[in-house]
């Protein structure tokens, strides 16, 4: 197991280097002068020149790259060119709402998705199965931002149960925190559950075809214990991998959800910075989110090996 | 053709998806012809500030936006952008993915290098990478298509490469090589045609995904520029008015959701038809 962990950890190194390279190249992909684009429409030539020296864009590319690598490795992500704040500070002030959203949203997605998927597979071919599949098809097809606006219109504008926009931190008010997060978490949970339903259903159906399930049935076990004692145990492993997909869905989900509900989290920071052409912040967030994504997938791979010894070979 | 008819009759989901997609395609085509005015009733760009933010009515079926533009006309014209993006992405990714996938499936050295790069690209959350790239390259319809192609290519390449790797060991490929068939002949006559089924299935997934990503980019404010009405940017413009006039965002979103649903239904239907082993699995 240790050897396997070491191997998988080492394999992430080139991926992370690649992620860094892409993030670095971003500024140099811009058509024309990046400093010009970042400075905005109202900047004079002096402002542009100042920004260019500040960001080191006047130096040769390889020199910029080595400097950038040095800084990044030391954990210095640089400054926002919009408000001059350090990016580390920006991230730390914005991370709390995003973590709450991702945690509860992910939890809701799993608690909705797994039972619906199990139900669909267990009652395969019946109306319950079709309902489960309809849920999955709608969840995959309906754009999250549109569903979010519908939730706002119905539950916040008309019924007035929840605030239309904004976020209240846990320190300010517990009820405010719950009220401001309910709709966004529901949105993430509903959209996130769709893939889980599909994966759970598919992997359970595969297990149902196995010989030992037929044996369990033919020796007269109740359907319930065939499902819970035999089938679900074997299907658990592929369901774990779904969490990897869920992580991808959640990262996309928080960007969209925070924009719909105007929640000041990391996702909204991404869209704000993109809109302001604040490249240093966009670069750092791209790296940070890719890093989180790579790490989650690493954990999923490792847990896979933990549950299924065959993988380690 | 008779096979197609049977497949459609046997699979109501595939039929429904095909019908909806056909209607959307017809709408998109009509909006570029002189008949646009008859069907859409208004010019999608015509400003009428007197009639701004109106609720749906007999004269403006879907209401009007903050500049008094007719949402019904804008929604119909938006179909064009979604379908152009989806078709361009699906076709380009298929061609690029097949070219790279077949090449690396047959060349060990290229395989190692190219697949590491593809793995690296897949380690980005797609929407965030697409956002960053469009922001850098600038918002235009072409760049939106380009960026979605960039983020989708690794997925297609992986699928093609996987199939090629399993096919090259088959005895019929070995026989072809044994009787002296040249490498290009083996690749294009014997291998490429057999990758088509999984490629078409994957392309249908990207077709639906491209519609969603284009709309999401538009919603987040970096996609198709506002002078070209797209479902994403109409919904985005309506977001601020959700408390006053919810319908600005509702109708284009409904068209968007229906189209993506239809594309997914067609994709699932194609999977059933092309890959009988998976029938009923997903």
């Amino acid at each position: 197991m240790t050897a396997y962990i070491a191997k998988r950890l080492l394999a992430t190194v080139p991926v992370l280097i690649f992620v860094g390279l892409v993030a670095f190249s971003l500024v140099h992909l811009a058509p024309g002068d990046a400093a010009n684009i970042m400075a905005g429409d109202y900047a004079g030539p002096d402002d542009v020149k100042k920004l260019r020296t500040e960001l080191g864009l006047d130096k040769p590319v390889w020199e910029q790259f080595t400097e950038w690598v040095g800084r990044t490795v030391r954990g210095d992500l640089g400054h926002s060119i919009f408000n001059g704040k350090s990016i580390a500070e920006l991230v730390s002030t914005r991370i709390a709402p995003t973590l709450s959203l991702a945690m509860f949203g992910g939890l809701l997605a799993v608690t909705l998705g797994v039972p619906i998927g199990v139900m669909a597979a267990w009652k395969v071919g019946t109306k319950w199965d079709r309902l489960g599949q309809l849920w999955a098809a709608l969840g995959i097809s309906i754009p999250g931002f549109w569903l979010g606006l519908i939730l706002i219109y119905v539950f916040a504008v008309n019924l007035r149960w929840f605030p239309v926009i904004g976020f209240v931190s846990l320190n300010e008010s517990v009820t405010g925190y719950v009220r401001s997060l309910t709709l966004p978490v529901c949105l993430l949970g509903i959209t996130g559950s769709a893939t889980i339903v599909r994966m759970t259903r598919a992997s359970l159906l595969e297990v149902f075809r196995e010989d030992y399930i037929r044996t369990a049935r033919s020796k007269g076990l109740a359907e319930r214990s065939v499902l819970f004692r035999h089938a679900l145990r074997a299907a658990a492993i592929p369901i774990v991998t779904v969490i990897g997909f869920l992580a991808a869905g959640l990262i996309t989900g928080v960007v969209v959800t925070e924009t719909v509900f105007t929640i000041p989290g990391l996702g909204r920071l991404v869209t704000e910075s993109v809109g302001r052409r604040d490249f240093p912040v966009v670069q750092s967030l791209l790296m940070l989110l890719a890093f989180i994504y790579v790490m989650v997938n690493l954990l999923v791979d490792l847990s896979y090996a933990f549950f299924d010894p065959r993988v380690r070979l | 053709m008779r096979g197609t008819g049977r497949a459609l009759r046997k699979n109501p989901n595939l039929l429904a998806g095909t019908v909806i997609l056909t209607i959307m395609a017809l709408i998109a085509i009509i909006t570029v012809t002189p008949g646009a005015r008859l069907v859409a009733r208004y010019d999608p760009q015509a400003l009428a500030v007197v009639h701004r933010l109106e609720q749906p009515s007999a004269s403006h079926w879907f209401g009007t936006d903050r500049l008094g533009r007719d949402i019904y006309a804008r929604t119909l014209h938006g179909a064009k952008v979604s379908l152009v993006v989806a078709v361009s992405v699906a076709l380009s990714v298929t061609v690029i993915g097949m070219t790279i996938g077949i090449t690396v499936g047959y060349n060990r050295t290229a395989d190692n290098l190219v697949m590491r790069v593809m793995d690296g690209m897949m380690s980005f959350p797609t929407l965030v990478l697409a956002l960053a790239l469009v922001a850098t390259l600038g918002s235009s319809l072409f760049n939106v298509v380009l960026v979605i192609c960039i983020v989708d290519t690794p997925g297609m390449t992986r699928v093609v490469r996987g199939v090629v790797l399993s096919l090259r060991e088959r005895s019929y490929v070995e026989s072809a090589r044994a009787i002296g068939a040249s490498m290009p002949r083996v690749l294009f006559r014997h291998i490429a045609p057999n990758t088509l089924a999984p490629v078409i299935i994957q392309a249908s997934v990207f077709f639906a995904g491209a519609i969603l990503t284009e709309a999401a980019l538009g919603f987040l404010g970096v996609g198709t520029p506002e002078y070209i009405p797209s479902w994403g940017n109409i919904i985005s413009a309506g977001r601020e008015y959700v408390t006053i006039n919810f319908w600005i965002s509702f109708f284009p979103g409904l068209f968007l959701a229906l189209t993506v649903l239809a594309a997914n239904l067609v994709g699932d239907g194609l999977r059933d038809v092309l890959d009988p082993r998976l029938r009923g699995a997903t």
Side-chain angles (χ1 to χ4, degrees):
Chain A
M1 189 75 188
T2 329
Y4 180 77
I5 296 178
K7 210 176 96 189
R8 288 295 292 113
L9 266 175
L10 270 179
T12 61
V13 174
V15 171
L16 291 177
I17 293 176
F18 182 81
V19 166
L21 266 175
V22 170
F24 171 78
S25 323
L26 209 57
V27 180
H28 302 276
L29 282 175
D33 186 359
N36 226 336
I37 300 173
M38 283 187 265
D41 298 337
Y42 302 105
D46 289 342
D47 299 322
V48 176
K49 207 173 158 197
K50 198 173 142 237
L51 189 64
R52 192 176 297 133
T53 358
E54 231 175 77
L55 294 171
L57 289 172
D58 47 353
K59 292 179 199 156
V61 175
W62 61 269
E63 205 171 302
Q64 289 180 43
F65 183 66
T66 44
E67 259 176 44
W68 182 80
V69 170
R71 278 196 296 117
T72 311
V73 170
R74 269 181 277 126
D76 175 9
L77 292 172
H79 294 266
S80 155
I81 52 169
F82 175 71
N83 52 22
K85 285 187 186 155
S86 87
I87 291 169
E89 186 194 333
L90 274 176
V91 169
S92 64
T93 54
R94 295 292 199 110
I95 204 161
T98 306
L99 281 181
S100 304
L101 258 182
M103 205 170 66
F104 294 122
L107 212 62
L108 183 64
V110 173
T111 45
L112 278 175
V114 174
I116 296 179
V118 170
M119 183 194 69
W122 198 25
K123 309 262 179 194
V124 64
T126 68
K127 68 165 191 267
W128 296 107
D129 181 22
R130 280 195 292 279
L131 264 176
Q133 293 206 63
L134 181 70
W135 176 273
L138 289 178
I140 289 167
S141 307
I142 293 180
F145 50 90
W146 183 61
L147 185 60
L149 288 174
I150 294 178
L151 289 177
I152 292 179
Y153 182 70
V154 175
F155 295 103
V157 177
N158 281 334
L159 296 172
R160 294 171 186 276
W161 290 353
F162 306 103
V164 174
I165 56 164
F167 173 74
V168 181
S169 80
L170 199 52
N171 299 334
E172 284 170 72
S173 141
V174 179
T175 47
Y177 174 79
V178 173
R179 272 165 50 96
S180 68
L181 276 183
T182 307
L183 288 182
V185 164
C186 285
L187 175 60
L188 275 178
I190 293 169
T191 48
S193 69
T195 336
I196 302 184
V197 170
R198 285 199 156 188
M199 295 293 245
T200 309
R201 180 178 176 275
S203 54
L204 254 183
L205 282 181
E206 209 160 287
V207 174
F208 280 153
R209 280 197 281 268
E210 299 274 349
D211 288 341
Y212 64 84
I213 296 293
R214 198 177 34 194
T215 310
R217 279 185 174 144
S218 57
K219 77 180 183 189
L221 275 186
E223 272 300 299
R224 191 175 295 270
S225 73
V226 171
L227 174 69
F228 287 103
R229 307 256 313 251
H230 295 78
L232 269 183
R233 226 179 247 194
I237 301 161
I239 295 174
V240 169
T241 39
V242 169
I243 297 169
F245 287 96
L246 184 64
L250 282 177
I251 292 175
T252 303
V254 291
V255 173
V256 169
T257 307
E258 289 179 357
T259 308
V260 177
F261 291 94
T262 329
I263 293 170
L266 284 184
R268 182 137 178 89
L269 185 61
V270 173
T271 46
E272 279 170 4
S273 313
V274 160
R276 294 168 186 152
R277 303 287 182 267
D278 194 344
F279 282 117
V281 180
V282 175
Q283 279 179 320
S284 306
L285 289 174
L286 184 63
M287 268 198 307
L288 182 71
L289 293 175
F291 178 76
I292 294 172
Y293 187 37
V294 171
M295 287 302 131
V296 171
N297 277 314
L298 176 68
L299 284 178
V300 169
D301 274 5
L302 293 182
S303 69
Y304 208 88
F306 180 77
F307 284 122
D308 188 350
R310 280 172 301 180
V311 175
R312 273 173 259 164
L313 309 170
Chain B
M1 276 324 268
R2 263 173 62 206
T4 323
R6 199 181 318 127
L8 284 176
R9 263 197 311 279
K10 272 175 68 180
N11 192 333
N13 284 350
L14 181 59
L15 181 66
T18 313
V19 169
I20 298 175
L21 277 189
T22 312
I23 294 174
M24 292 298 170
L26 285 177
I27 291 176
I29 292 167
I30 288 171
T31 54
V32 289
T33 64
R37 215 33 200 278
L38 287 172
V39 182
R41 305 170 78 226
Y42 289 91
D43 177 344
Q45 304 294 8
L47 309 179
V49 187
V50 207
H51 296 293
R52 64 195 299 268
L53 295 174
E54 274 180 16
Q55 302 283 320
S57 66
S59 49
H60 295 283
W61 290 347
F62 293 177
T64 59
D65 68 5
R66 75 195 155 89
L67 299 170
R69 293 177 296 195
D70 183 65
I71 296 298
Y72 173 70
R74 290 181 72 73
T75 303
L76 293 196
H77 280 263
K80 214 165 19 196
V81 171
S82 288
L83 291 182
V84 164
V85 169
V87 170
S88 327
V89 167
L91 285 180
S92 322
V93 171
T94 301
V95 173
I96 302 169
M98 278 188 77
T99 314
I100 304 179
I102 291 178
T103 315
V104 299
Y106 245 88
N107 185 333
R108 276 285 158 81
T109 355
D111 186 43
N112 257 323
L113 184 73
V114 173
M115 288 324 282
R116 287 297 81 75
V117 173
M118 296 294 169
D119 286 347
M121 282 170 72
M122 287 181 98
S123 64
F124 287 100
T126 46
L127 184 69
V128 180
L129 180 61
L131 258 176
L133 284 174
V134 177
T136 314
L137 298 172
S139 298
S140 73
L141 196 54
F142 177 78
N143 284 345
V144 169
V145 172
L146 177 71
V147 161
I148 302 178
C149 284
I150 292 175
V151 297
D152 281 349
T153 296
M156 183 62 96
T157 307
R158 252 193 200 183
V159 168
V160 178
R161 171 183 175 269
V163 180
V164 173
L165 284 183
S166 76
L167 286 177
R168 54 183 279 180
E169 307 302 333
R170 294 283 183 85
S171 46
Y172 82 92
V173 174
E174 210 177 318
S175 326
R177 285 165 64 186
I179 60 169
S182 67
M183 190 62 103
R185 190 179 162 84
V186 172
L187 287 180
F188 292 103
R189 281 296 294 227
H190 301 287
I191 298 221
N194 284 302
T195 61
L196 276 180
V199 164
I200 291 172
I201 293 169
Q202 190 63 41
S204 74
V205 173
F206 286 148
F207 182 91
I211 300 177
L212 271 183
T213 308
E214 186 277 328
L217 290 173
F219 178 76
L220 297 173
V222 295
T224 314
E226 235 226 312
Y227 59 85
I228 308 170
S230 82
W231 292 335
N233 66 32
I234 307 170
I235 298 172
S236 173
R239 188 180 80 89
E240 294 167 54
Y241 303 97
V242 65
T243 49
I244 313 169
N245 192 358
F246 168 66
W247 309 107
I248 301 174
S249 301
F250 179 77
F251 287 109
L254 189 64
F255 274 62
L256 171 61
L258 267 177
T259 310
V260 178
L261 181 66
N264 281 329
L265 289 178
V266 170
D268 289 349
L270 283 176
R271 190 191 309 258
D272 287 348
V273 174
L274 294 172
D275 195 346
R277 279 168 306 161
L278 290 172
R279 203 161 281 165
T282 45

